[in-house]
Amino acid sequence: MSTHKSEGSSNDPESGNAPSISADSQDIVAHKGVKLVEATHKVYGKYSKWFLFIGLGLAAYIYSLDGTTTWAYLIYAASEFKDHGLISTIQVAQAIIIAVGKPVIAKVADVGSRGSAYMVVLIFYVVGYIVIASSQSLSTVAGGVIIYAVGYTGLQLLTQIIIADITTLKWRGLVSGLISMPFIINAFVGANVSANVVNGAGWRWGYGMFAILVPTALAPLIITLVWAERKAKKLSLTDETPSSMTFFQKVIDVGERLDVVGLILIGTSVALILLPLTLRRTAKGGWQNPSIIAMIVVGCVLLPVTVIWDVYYAKHPVIARRFIKNRTVAIVCLIGAFDFVSFYISNTYLHSFVIVVKPWSLVNATYFSQTQTVSLTVFAIAAGLGMRFMRRAKPLMIAGLVIRLLGCGLMIHSRGANASDAEIVWSQLLQGIGGGMAAVTIQVSAQASVPHVDVAMVTAVVLLITEIGGAIGGAIAGAVWTGMMPDRLAHYLPFATQAERDLLYGDLRYASLRPRGDPVREGVILAYDDVMKILTILATVFAVLPLIISLFVPNWYLGDQQNAVENKDLSGEKVHNPDVDSPVDETPQSVASRS
């Protein structure tokens, strides 16, 4: 059976064909970081591997504690500066940096090393949080959030890259799920931490303490990685040849390998298109403002420029042509993007909504906001376990997206102030169950469809497109919120002055501190209810799209391979894959590998 196809064609396990790796691709050759990580496997011993696993666990925990606490501080920072409506603008900017930052960090990890990439992540993390904690205006907070976002996205990505380096396909989903287990603990710990910080030391300390915690937590992992990399070099296991390039030539070479131009074009075009959607209400003249129109026009013009650059001029493009032609990568990128559009449309203002609408304490409101995170983590682990025994990802992916859609649809009805608490909690549980199953299956499917040398970048590309979907969802939420909320407040609170309505719009504390039954709070609840109705309907519509697209994703065999293209294990030995191997090619070892 022939297994050869042209470069970039996607592997279709259902047809029994697999792509070959073309040698004429400019950037498919292994970067220094890829060769180095393969060499480090030869120097790790029993104790150093344990240090690696402990370091990964600490990194995962601090990432989780960050993710379950700091998001809650932003609404209080914005309210202190009387600009609660700009939350979506900041979150869109953050989402853009989180998206575009992923291929940057992946390139640093490939061109340099995994250890050096973690050190870059640490610097951005610490500097960003120091800027936020010391800010005197919301614009400074936004600047700090953007700096910190590089570190946050890098920590997430590098953890997944290292997991892909050290696990086979059948175990990868389960390990990826297990590394997220701290989210289960911190859903409760984080809720109490954030509530106590807000009511005690204040939101500034909530950000500032991570400038101390993150370096402490990442130190064991960075030390272990750097030690292994240096030892591998010392033992001449990396086959490095001395470079004859000058310093200037090295700078140019690194810039080309990082595709700095492509990254700037992608980030700028997406930002110029999405940010005006959230800024139009505060900009003088709204859509008639020349600056708003100019931003959107320039952003739209830059999109084809970005494509032209990456296709025809970039030596090492962010999104290589072989990724675009790869059926699996293209499909899972679309699934992730539409899923995140749906999630951020309904979730951007959800915490603010429950604080104003529900008579819950701050701790209970934060518990509710973590409901989806907990269920997502638990069922990502369950899906990983399912892939371990089923050896397939597609059925679990489709099932997850169906459940996610049900959760979105339920939220349309459960959003009301008088809806039962159980109903609104179940809407979040269902979305988390489905989201967890979908997230782990699409990532493993994408990683299965490319050779090891491409795993880091394809992981970054999938997350890049997914996060851009999140930015689009946040921008849509911001556009709906800023466009509707002031008018809805005016409709339900005609007796209030414009200054009072502006305060209610800009500072949720002004409404949430009033008792239920108070005419002002009841009017604000009705306004919030109207806006959330539109947001939940939009979220449900977008949740339909990934389900339809998932029907066309290839159903990869997940066995003892590092990936399903090369069909080699972590030591480089050929292993059996029933999708491409004929029965006569089987050996006792290949049969045993399936058991």
Side-chain angles (χ1 to χ4, degrees):
M1 179 185 297
S2 175
T3 60
H4 184 274
K5 280 190 180 182
S6 60
E7 179 198 349
S9 61
S10 63
N11 182 344
D12 187 347
E14 294 169 345
S15 66
N17 294 324
S20 64
I21 305 169
S22 175
D24 60 359
S25 177
Q26 284 187 340
D27 62 329
I28 200 169
V29 293
H31 287 303
K32 172 186 173 184
V34 179
K35 295 178 180 177
L36 193 54
V37 76
E38 292 172 351
T40 57
H41 283 298
K42 301 175 183 178
V43 303
Y44 280 124
K46 177 181 176 181
Y47 297 109
S48 54
K49 276 195 174 181
W50 272 110
F51 272 105
L52 179 65
F53 293 140
I54 291 170
L56 278 172
L58 288 172
Y61 184 84
I62 201 65
Y63 172 81
S64 166
L65 186 62
D66 181 343
T68 53
T69 56
T70 54
W71 65 270
Y73 305 140
L74 181 58
I75 63 176
Y76 294 97
S79 293
E80 180 174 314
F81 296 118
K82 309 301 179 189
D83 233 338
H84 178 259
L86 280 180
I87 286 178
S88 66
T89 303
I90 296 174
Q91 289 182 334
V92 168
Q94 180 181 0
I96 293 168
I97 298 301
I98 286 175
V100 178
K102 282 183 169 65
V104 175
I105 299 300
K107 287 276 192 178
V108 171
D110 278 351
V111 174
S113 70
R114 299 334 193 207
S116 61
Y118 265 110
M119 286 189 279
V120 171
V121 161
L122 179 60
I123 292 171
F124 277 95
Y125 231 122
V126 173
V127 172
Y129 272 146
I130 290 174
V131 170
I132 297 172
S134 60
S135 61
Q136 298 301 316
S137 67
L138 192 59
S139 59
T140 308
V141 171
V145 166
I146 289 172
I147 296 171
Y148 136 80
V150 177
Y152 184 79
T153 190
L155 183 54
Q156 176 204 30
L157 176 68
L158 288 173
T159 303
Q160 294 302 322
I161 289 174
I162 290 179
I163 289 172
D165 287 335
I166 63 175
T167 59
T168 57
L169 287 175
K170 69 180 182 182
W171 289 108
R172 191 167 305 159
L174 180 58
V175 175
S176 295
L178 290 172
I179 208 72
S180 300
M181 279 189 69
F183 277 99
I184 300 174
I185 301 169
N186 287 328
F188 305 100
V189 174
N192 286 281
V193 168
S194 60
N196 288 326
V197 166
V198 169
N199 294 325
W203 61 268
R204 293 181 187 278
W205 176 242
Y207 285 114
M209 67 182 185
F210 280 96
I212 302 170
L213 293 175
V214 171
T216 304
L218 291 186
L221 181 57
I222 293 175
I223 290 171
T224 304
L225 289 172
V226 171
W227 167 83
E229 290 163 1
R230 288 186 175 179
K231 187 172 182 180
K233 291 179 181 178
K234 187 176 180 180
L235 296 175
S236 301
L237 299 175
T238 58
D239 297 326
E240 289 187 41
T241 55
S243 174
S244 59
M245 292 189 293
T246 65
F247 175 77
F248 180 73
Q249 289 173 327
K250 288 181 180 179
V251 171
I252 297 297
D253 181 64
V254 170
E256 289 178 342
R257 290 180 181 273
L258 292 176
D259 191 18
V260 173
V261 175
L263 290 169
I264 291 173
L265 286 172
I266 291 173
T268 304
S269 60
V270 172
L272 290 176
I273 292 171
L274 298 181
L275 288 178
L277 298 178
T278 63
L279 293 171
R280 69 176 181 87
R281 188 82 191 193
T282 55
K284 185 178 180 181
W287 288 119
Q288 282 70 47
N289 188 306
S291 297
I292 294 292
I293 297 172
M295 288 171 70
I296 294 176
V297 170
V298 173
C300 291
V301 169
L302 285 179
L303 280 179
V305 173
T306 303
V307 174
I308 292 171
W309 169 262
D310 264 6
V311 171
Y312 296 106
Y313 297 102
K315 290 185 177 180
H316 305 280
V318 176
I319 304 178
R321 275 176 287 181
R322 64 183 179 280
F323 294 162
I324 298 172
K325 295 177 181 179
N326 185 311
R327 176 178 159 195
T328 303
V329 174
I331 291 175
V332 300
C333 281
L334 290 174
I335 293 172
F338 285 124
D339 184 56
F340 261 45
V341 170
S342 173
F343 173 78
Y344 277 95
I345 287 175
S346 63
N347 202 68
T348 297
Y349 288 99
L350 182 61
H351 188 63
S352 302
F353 175 77
V354 297
I355 286 177
V356 170
V357 170
K358 292 292 184 180
W360 297 343
S361 66
L362 180 59
V363 171
N364 286 336
T366 309
Y367 281 156
F368 167 78
S369 297
Q370 298 301 328
T371 301
Q372 191 168 159
T373 300
V374 172
S375 58
L376 190 149
T377 303
V378 171
F379 280 86
I381 296 172
L385 191 62
M387 284 190 286
R388 165 64 182 85
F389 294 102
M390 293 174 62
R391 304 292 178 95
R392 303 287 177 180
K394 183 175 180 177
L396 293 167
M397 183 190 303
I398 294 173
L401 292 169
V402 169
I403 297 170
R404 170 101 168 78
L405 176 59
L406 291 174
C408 283
L410 180 61
M411 199 172 173
I412 297 174
H413 182 265
S414 68
R415 80 190 186 284
N418 298 316
S420 69
D421 292 350
E423 188 177 351
I424 192 170
V425 169
W426 264 107
S427 72
Q428 299 305 298
L429 282 172
L430 289 172
Q431 290 184 64
I433 292 169
M437 294 172 67
V440 70
T441 51
I442 66 174
Q443 179 168 298
V444 172
S445 294
Q447 291 175 346
S449 71
V450 295
H452 188 189
V453 68
D454 275 338
V455 164
M457 274 310 299
V458 86
T459 304
V461 166
V462 170
L463 293 174
L464 164 68
I465 303 301
T466 300
E467 296 286 0
I468 288 176
I472 293 171
I476 293 172
V480 172
W481 190 272
T482 58
M484 287 187 64
M485 185 59 72
D487 295 336
R488 292 291 85 196
L489 289 172
H491 176 75
Y492 289 113
L493 299 172
F495 52 86
T497 64
Q498 184 60 49
E500 188 175 18
R501 289 198 294 266
D502 289 343
L503 186 58
L504 289 166
Y505 174 73
D507 188 347
L508 63 82
R509 296 174 298 181
Y510 190 64
S512 62
L513 293 176
R514 293 173 177 265
R516 286 297 305 266
D518 181 276
V520 172
R521 181 161 185 179
E522 294 303 316
V524 173
I525 287 174
L526 291 172
Y528 271 56
D529 191 58
D530 284 358
V531 178
M532 284 301 293
K533 178 181 180 181
I534 301 301
L535 292 177
T536 52
I537 290 173
L538 287 173
T540 303
V541 170
F542 276 101
V544 174
L545 299 176
L547 174 58
I548 296 172
I549 298 169
S550 68
L551 300 175
F552 302 97
V553 71
N555 194 20
W556 293 93
Y557 174 76
L558 309 177
D560 294 306
Q561 326 100 300
Q562 199 284 329
N563 61 81
V565 174
E566 297 166 312
N567 286 315
K568 295 179 180 179
D569 61 19
L570 299 179
S571 63
E573 297 296 323
K574 197 76 174 177
V575 293
H576 176 72
N577 182 340
D579 289 334
V580 295
D581 295 337
S582 61
V584 295
D585 294 329
E586 291 190 356
T587 64
Q589 291 79 15
S590 66
V591 174
S593 71
R594 285 180 287 172
S595 59

